Amino acid sequence: MNTVRLRVATYNIHKGVSAFGQRSRLAELRMALHRIDADVIFLQEVQDRNERLARRLAGDPRSSQLDVLASSGYEHRAYGINATYPHGHHGNAILSRLRIEQFANHDISDHMLERRGMLHAVAQLPGAANRSIHLICAHFGLAKRSRTRQADWVARFIEREIPPSAPLILAGDFNDWQRGVDAQLRQRLGMHDVFDQMTATAWIDRLLAWRRPVRVARTFPSIVPCLTLDRIYLRGLRVHGSRVPRGRSWARCSDHAPLIADLEL
């Protein structure tokens, strides 16, 4: 079988609006996705419908946020609603240049005040007849106890539903700055993080290097990233490179910076 190379990214887009929700950032985000140029991108906090903002901007309340984002070159998509309200809804999404064969959204909320979800999709690999890759986009809770339970739910789902030999990408916003569920996912599922073999390049990583080797992707807040909230875990794939783009133009798009990885099957 020929080598398959993929670029993937995970990105929390803050519902496609500015810090206080007064301005749409969709145009900037669409351009950001074009610059990332990933084959598969895992998105969190996608507010696919916001009629209140659409009316304020004199837009069409029927327009879809995913329609705008997918127009940056993505033929296939999966979307899972995590939270609904009178003027709209938001959740996780996967935009893909690979054909998505099936997908399902799973509610992994730990309590009613914080709606969280896990979106699972199966996509067809290019140049590999009848060979699929499993894609999971997740958004974990803010409380440590919630994250622990959600990581256990995701791990049990993978153990039950995904064959150990199948290529798997688990990506998203894990809110895991203390790296608690990080060890749980690695040890239990035999997965590795895309930054494991990468050299520290951010100034804060170099500053802390005297204490211990630092191989983490700092993505939040995007203006001066210092917390490791966003991750890409792999099974059955090799990493050729990974990075977190930084700068004012990225900070204008969302409070998170995207995490990008080049992979090989």
Side-chain angles (χ1 to χ4, degrees):
M1 185 176 65
N2 294 331
T3 298
V4 177
R5 293 194 175 182
L6 298 172
R7 173 171 292 175
V8 302
T10 183
Y11 202 179
N12 183 322
I13 65 170
H14 194 255
K15 300 178 182 176
V17 295
S18 58
F20 298 102
Q22 299 300 309
R23 292 184 56 197
S24 171
R25 296 296 193 194
L26 272 185
E28 293 95 328
L29 282 165
R30 183 183 178 279
M31 183 57 66
L33 298 194
H34 181 74
R35 292 167 62 189
I36 292 170
D37 193 28
D39 297 292
V40 180
I41 186 158
F42 302 78
L43 299 173
Q44 303 85 49
E45 292 194 21
V46 177
Q47 192 170 43
D48 196 41
R49 187 64 55 82
N50 184 339
E51 296 177 4
R52 183 185 298 165
L53 181 64
R55 285 194 296 268
R56 190 162 65 240
L57 298 175
D60 183 353
R62 296 170 299 176
S63 63
S64 164
Q65 191 175 95
L66 271 180
D67 287 341
V68 176
L69 297 176
S71 67
S72 57
Y74 296 95
E75 182 180 357
H76 308 282
R77 72 182 77 172
Y79 175 61
I81 297 175
N82 295 340
T84 60
Y85 22 81
H87 63 278
H89 49 74
H90 73 263
N92 299 326
I94 298 173
L95 298 181
S96 176
R97 293 171 182 164
L98 312 180
R99 184 171 65 87
I100 293 178
E101 300 170 337
Q102 57 182 291
F103 69 90
N105 193 53
H106 302 270
D107 186 356
I108 59 171
S109 304
D110 192 50
H111 51 80
M112 294 300 296
L113 299 179
E114 192 179 42
R115 308 305 303 177
R116 302 294 183 183
M118 185 203 81
L119 178 63
H120 171 232
V122 182
Q124 179 69 45
L125 284 166
N130 301 319
R131 188 85 189 273
S132 299
I133 183 169
H134 289 258
L135 311 170
I136 294 180
C137 182
H139 192 182
F140 284 9
L142 295 174
K144 182 177 180 180
R145 184 171 58 181
S146 295
R147 293 193 298 273
T148 300
R149 283 199 280 257
Q150 287 157 353
D152 179 66
W153 196 100
V154 171
R156 283 189 284 110
F157 175 87
I158 292 173
E159 291 166 343
R160 183 179 67 249
E161 301 292 338
I162 301 177
S165 60
L168 168 63
I169 302 175
L170 167 62
D173 177 1
F174 295 88
N175 278 310
D176 187 32
W177 60 88
Q178 297 171 316
R179 306 191 75 174
V181 301
D182 178 70
Q184 183 178 353
L185 293 172
R186 290 172 185 267
Q187 295 168 9
R188 182 169 174 178
L189 298 173
M191 305 189 78
H192 62 279
D193 184 285
V194 296
F195 252 64
D196 283 349
Q197 304 302 320
M198 298 298 106
T199 303
T201 56
W203 66 268
I204 191 167
D205 290 342
R206 295 196 300 270
L207 183 65
L208 295 174
W210 65 273
R211 295 179 57 197
R212 57 182 174 85
V214 179
R215 294 192 181 110
V216 292
R218 302 184 188 277
T219 55
F220 183 88
S222 56
I223 188 67
V224 184
C226 57
L227 295 178
T228 58
L229 304 188
D230 305 277
R231 304 249 172 74
I232 300 174
Y233 295 99
L234 308 172
R235 194 168 71 186
L237 297 106
R238 197 162 50 234
V239 184
H240 274 273
S242 58
R243 66 189 187 278
V244 177
R246 292 178 169 87
R248 187 173 298 177
S249 63
W250 293 100
R252 281 198 295 263
C253 294
S254 172
D255 57 346
H256 288 244
L259 170 58
I260 307 167
D262 291 302
L263 312 175
E264 180 182 289
L265 181 66

